[in-house]
């Protein structure tokens, strides 16, 4: 019995030592992993007496880029120093995508930082429908033109169709709501002709909240909705919205390709988030306040009946396939909202005006 006890103690001791090696090894591996990420994002060098470190992401969601420019988000950073006082000219360009942004700085022995977000080239975003490998071109010179640092840092530009559904990016979907697009203006013009199809008294035009009763606000949205199936013969495509309130920024499952309203109208088809963004664009164009409601796997439209946003009605584009009149679609969507509200399954309600207030404008 005594020998068995000693044997068991020895086994436990060996297992403890082995587990310690695994823990230490795992910790070291994780540390190396974290370090490798940082190294991928930092690119250092420079000719004496200048020291330069460029901090840049490895990939950018191009659909978000206009909002980065509007808010002057520090997407790229150059850390610089010099062992002797020196005036430097720092230049940054996203090749074939942005203009060149230049800062003139006074470098000293202490490390200083300068952030960059160069304006995009005209039409660069419109053409970006595929994943594109490009480079962040960085140059550092002095006032006499002597070069101290030049680098082309690999950079992936995601297609402008790609949306990353995370809580941090929730308002970014408003970039797909494009009320200024010519195709949306044409849609609203066509919808005006359908106002007469609503029960009197109806507004004579798309007036938004201007002198309109809550019922007349609904009439305007109904006319826009009916135009989708009466004039454009829009076909609804079944596709899930991969948005979860717990999704992390690195979660690849939260990615979704989303076409712009003009493309949906041109192709006469769209999934729920695309048709909801299309409706929201038309609603915003006439001055109404739209929101995008997200429930598990699905999105639909909410519209404030008064300008104070105290009361909403809802429309679900899933019914366009069946040529369902807008008032019936509204009833079904209101029931859907109420059901999910009772079950606490509404993931998010994204008010487009909230996005505009944080400088997230239409993509075009």
């Amino acid at each position: 019995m005594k020998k068995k006890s000693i044997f068991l103690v020895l086994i436990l001791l060996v297992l403890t030592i082995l587990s310690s090696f695994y823990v230490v090894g795992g910790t070291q591996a994780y540390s190396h992993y974290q370090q490798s990420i940082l190294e991928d994002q930092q690119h250092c060098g420079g000719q004496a007496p200048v020291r330069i470190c460029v901090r840049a992401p490895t990939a950018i969601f191009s659909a978000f880029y206009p909002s980065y420019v509007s808010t002057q988000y520090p997407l790229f950073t150059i850390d610089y120093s010099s062992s002797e006082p020196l005036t430097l000219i720092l230049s940054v360009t996203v090749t074939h995508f942005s203009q060149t942004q230049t800062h003139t700085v006074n470098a000293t022995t202490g490390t200083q930082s300068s952030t960059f977000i160069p304006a995009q080239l005209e039409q660069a975003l419109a053409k970006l429908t595929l994943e594109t490998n490009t480079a962040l071109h960085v140059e550092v010179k002095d006032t006499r033109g002597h070069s101290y640092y030049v680098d082309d840092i690999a950079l992936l530009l995601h297609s402008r169709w790609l949306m990353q559904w995370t809580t941090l990016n929730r308002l970014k979907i408003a970039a797909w709501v494009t009320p200024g697009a010519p195709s949306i203006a044409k849609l609203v013009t066509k919808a005006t002709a359908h106002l007469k199809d609503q029960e009197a008294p109806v507004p004579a035009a798309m007036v938004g909240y201007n002198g309109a009763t809550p019922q007349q606000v609904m009439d305007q949205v109904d006319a826009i909705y009916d135009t989708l199936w009466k004039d454009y013969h829009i076909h609804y495509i079944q596709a899930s919205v991969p948005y979860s309130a717990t999704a992390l920024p690195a979660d690849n499952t939260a990615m979704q390709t989303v076409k712009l309203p003009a493309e949906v109208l041109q192709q006469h088809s769209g999934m729920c988030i695309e048709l909801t963004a299309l409706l929201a664009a038309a609603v915003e164009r006439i001055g109404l306040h739209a929101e995008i409601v997200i429930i598990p796997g699905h999105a639909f439209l909410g519209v404030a009946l008064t300008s104070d946003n105290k009361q909403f009605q809802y429309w679900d584009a899933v019914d366009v396939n069946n040529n369902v009149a807008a008032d019936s679609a509204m009833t079904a969507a209101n029931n859907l909202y109420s059901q999910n509200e009772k079950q606490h399954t509404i993931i998010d309600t994204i008010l487009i005006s909230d996005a505009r207030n944080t400088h997230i404008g239409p993509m075009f």
Side-chain angles (χ1 to χ4, degrees), residues 148-191:
Y148 291 94
Y149 180 92
V150 179
D151 199 4
D152 286 289
I153 300 165
L155 181 64
L156 173 65
L157 292 176
H158 289 303
S159 162
R160 63 169 170 80
W161 286 334
L162 196 63
M163 171 64 185
Q164 184 190 39
W165 286 106
T166 63
T167 305
L168 185 66
N169 292 333
R170 57 184 293 276
L171 293 178
K172 297 287 199 310
I173 191 62
W176 277 263
V177 178
T178 54
S183 56
I184 296 300
K186 187 176 180 181
L187 167 62
V188 170
T189 299
K190 287 179 179 289

Side-chain angles (χ1 to χ4, degrees), residues 57-364:
T58 55
I60 298 172
F61 287 88
S62 63
F64 303 168
Y65 197 85
S67 68
Y68 293 153
V69 174
S70 296
T71 58
Q72 286 298 291
Y73 181 81
L75 197 59
F76 311 113
T77 301
I78 298 179
D79 299 325
Y80 59 91
S81 62
S82 175
S83 58
E84 58 187 58
L86 199 60
T87 299
L88 297 175
I89 300 170
L90 316 178
S91 298
V92 167
T93 312
V94 179
T95 306
H96 304 310
F97 182 75
S98 82
Q99 300 173 25
T100 299
Q101 187 176 13
T102 301
H103 292 172
T104 300
V105 299
N106 294 314
T108 60
T109 54
T111 300
Q112 301 175 73
S113 298
S114 190
T115 59
F116 293 80
I117 179 68
Q120 68 198 50
L121 294 170
E122 190 176 353
Q123 295 300 312
L125 192 58
K127 299 173 183 176
L128 200 67
T129 55
L130 298 173
E131 301 286 279
T132 302
N133 289 299
T134 185
L136 180 70
H137 182 72
V138 181
E139 290 188 25
V140 178
K141 299 178 179 179
D142 63 18
T143 53
R144 295 172 298 174
H146 180 79
S147 179
Y148 291 94
Y149 180 92
V150 179
D151 199 4
D152 286 289
I153 300 165
L155 181 64
L156 173 65
L157 292 176
H158 289 303
S159 162
R160 63 169 170 80
W161 286 334
L162 196 63
M163 171 64 185
Q164 184 190 39
W165 286 106
T166 63
T167 305
L168 185 66
N169 292 333
R170 57 184 293 276
L171 293 178
K172 297 287 199 310
I173 191 62
W176 277 263
V177 178
T178 54
S183 56
I184 296 300
K186 187 176 180 181
L187 167 62
V188 170
T189 299
K190 287 179 179 289
T192 304
H194 291 296
L195 283 171
K196 67 181 187 319
D197 300 335
Q198 314 304 318
E199 288 187 18
V202 295
M206 293 292 187
V207 296
Y209 295 116
N210 245 351
T213 65
Q215 180 58 54
Q216 289 173 329
V217 168
M218 288 187 277
D219 291 339
Q220 293 173 76
V221 182
D222 281 350
I224 291 169
Y225 186 100
D226 285 339
T227 303
L228 292 187
W229 62 270
K230 286 183 177 179
D231 294 70
Y232 290 90
H233 310 291
I234 294 292
H235 177 69
Y236 173 80
I237 299 172
Q238 178 66 42
S240 182
V241 177
Y243 180 21
S244 165
T246 58
L248 298 173
D251 187 355
N252 289 331
T253 63
M255 311 284 193
Q256 185 174 34
T257 296
V258 182
K259 298 191 298 289
L260 286 166
E263 295 161 330
V264 172
L265 290 172
Q266 186 180 31
Q267 296 170 21
H268 301 282
S269 64
M271 55 190 178
C272 62
I273 186 59
E274 293 170 333
L275 295 179
T276 301
L278 166 58
L279 287 167
V283 163
E284 187 181 16
R285 183 175 181 85
I286 65 174
L288 298 178
H289 301 168
E291 69 178 10
I292 295 174
V293 181
I294 309 289
I295 59 176
H298 191 55
F300 56 95
L301 177 75
V303 178
L305 300 186
T306 54
S307 58
D308 58 7
N309 297 339
K310 287 186 176 178
Q311 184 184 356
F312 282 79
Q313 293 283 359
Y314 302 93
W315 287 260
D316 190 349
V318 70
D319 288 318
V320 294
N321 274 0
N322 304 316
N323 295 343
V324 172
D327 53 354
S328 297
M330 181 182 67
T331 300
N334 286 338
N335 290 337
L336 181 63
Y337 183 90
S338 296
Q339 177 186 345
N340 279 272
E341 188 177 37
K342 287 176 183 175
Q343 295 173 350
H344 305 288
T345 49
I346 295 176
I347 296 172
D348 207 344
T349 52
I350 302 166
L351 194 62
I352 302 304
S353 59
D354 285 346
R356 303 303 187 223
N357 290 337
T358 59
H359 305 285
I360 299 173
M363 207 180 300
F364 303 111

